[in-house]
Amino acid sequence: MVQGHLGRFGFSGDEVQRRAETLSGGERARVALAMMMLSRANLLILDEPTNHLDVESIEALEDAIERYEGTIILVSHDRALLRALATKVWVLHDRRITEFDGSFAEWEVVSEERAHAAAVQQSEEEALRRVKERQKTERRDASKGGTADQQRSQLREAKRAVERTEGEVARHEAEVARLSATLEDPDLYTKPDGAKRARELGVELEKAKRALDRALGQWGEATEALERLEKATV
């Protein structure tokens, strides 16, 4: 009888003669389950019984629970075990126990729906919080003499100023390049008035370089002003 009972928990042949100290953790758990099933107790409380058990031991546990004629209170995170065995579901949440009218698989569906609804609610609350925060920022900016609309207008104007000065820099760079290329052309000096024309072009080149320096300075100032505004509106 004992050997047959142990056989249902995965012990067969000479294994039933082994001493307890030679058993692994999973094997000891199976022996403990076998002993509990032989007791006359009509109520068992199993707290995470599948922890540290191998697949074979878990299957033996499931078979034993199914054959047990008494009541078992099973506390577990093993969803596969609960789907297979649970006939009544109690949910522990916020220090309260609630009975769920349905199977564990049905509770999983309801739980997922509730989690989705909670996620949607959290997303809506976060969006509302952002709106309120933006309104608060706009009111604070308005009290300082600058509304959000004014800030956006200033930012657009700063960007246009950068674009204008970039265009001026590009135009003066092209003029400097044109004059330099003309002065570097040997054919200029073969003409009767080549020397005179070269002096005139030299004067124009110096003016173009000074204009380019001014344009670069204006572009630098416009860029710095834009960066300050962008930081202020973050």
Side-chain angles (χ1 to χ4, degrees):
M1 175 182 174
V2 173
Q3 289 183 345
H5 183 68
L6 289 174
R8 288 194 290 269
F9 287 86
F11 297 100
S12 60
D14 294 338
E15 289 184 332
V16 299
Q17 304 297 329
R18 292 172 59 188
R19 297 180 62 86
E21 59 264 23
T22 67
L23 301 177
S24 66
E27 289 171 334
R28 292 183 184 183
R30 280 189 280 162
V31 170
L33 290 171
M35 294 173 63
M36 283 191 298
M37 295 305 172
L38 286 176
S39 69
R40 295 183 178 181
N42 61 1
L43 173 63
L44 297 179
I45 301 177
L46 304 182
D47 185 8
E48 301 290 355
T50 59
N51 281 4
H52 312 299
L53 294 184
D54 55 24
V55 175
E56 183 180 0
S57 300
I58 293 175
E59 291 177 350
L61 172 64
E62 290 182 2
D63 292 340
I65 291 176
E66 287 180 342
R67 290 193 302 269
Y68 185 68
E69 296 180 356
T71 300
I72 295 178
I73 298 176
L74 181 60
V75 180
S76 178
H77 288 88
D78 187 339
R79 289 177 176 253
L81 182 73
L82 295 174
R83 292 189 201 103
L85 299 176
T87 58
K88 182 175 292 187
V89 179
W90 290 342
V91 181
L92 176 61
H93 181 67
D94 287 341
R95 301 183 181 182
R96 298 184 61 182
I97 295 178
T98 304
E99 181 178 350
F100 177 74
D101 186 15
S103 67
F104 181 76
E106 291 172 331
W107 176 83
E108 285 184 300
V109 174
V110 173
S111 179
E112 290 178 359
E113 292 175 349
R114 287 176 177 172
H116 175 70
V120 171
Q121 182 179 359
Q122 183 179 3
S123 177
E124 292 175 347
E125 291 175 352
E126 177 64 17
L128 181 60
R129 185 192 66 78
R130 291 179 179 176
V131 169
K132 290 182 178 179
E133 184 65 26
R134 186 173 65 250
Q135 291 173 343
K136 181 180 178 181
T137 301
E138 290 175 353
R139 287 194 296 268
R140 184 173 62 248
D141 292 340
S143 65
K144 294 179 180 179
T147 65
D149 288 339
Q150 289 173 333
Q151 289 180 339
R152 286 192 290 269
S153 177
Q154 292 172 353
L155 190 60
R156 285 194 297 268
E157 180 57 31
K159 289 179 179 179
R160 285 195 290 267
V162 171
E163 292 172 357
R164 285 195 302 270
T165 54
E166 285 177 344
E168 287 296 307
V169 168
R171 185 171 66 83
H172 290 301
E173 285 180 338
E175 180 66 5
V176 169
R178 183 187 69 81
L179 293 169
S180 297
T182 302
L183 286 168
E184 292 170 358
D185 186 2
D187 291 341
L188 173 65
Y189 303 95
T190 62
K191 298 177 181 178
D193 60 343
K196 179 182 177 182
R197 181 57 181 160
R199 287 193 297 270
E200 294 173 349
L201 291 172
V203 173
E204 293 179 18
L205 178 60
E206 290 303 317
K207 291 181 179 179
K209 287 181 177 179
R210 288 195 294 271
L212 175 59
D213 289 339
R214 288 193 298 271
L216 286 170
Q218 292 171 352
W219 173 81
E221 292 174 357
T223 301
E224 290 176 358
L226 175 60
E227 290 176 351
R228 287 195 297 270
L229 284 172
E230 288 178 334
K231 290 179 180 180
T233 56
V234 172

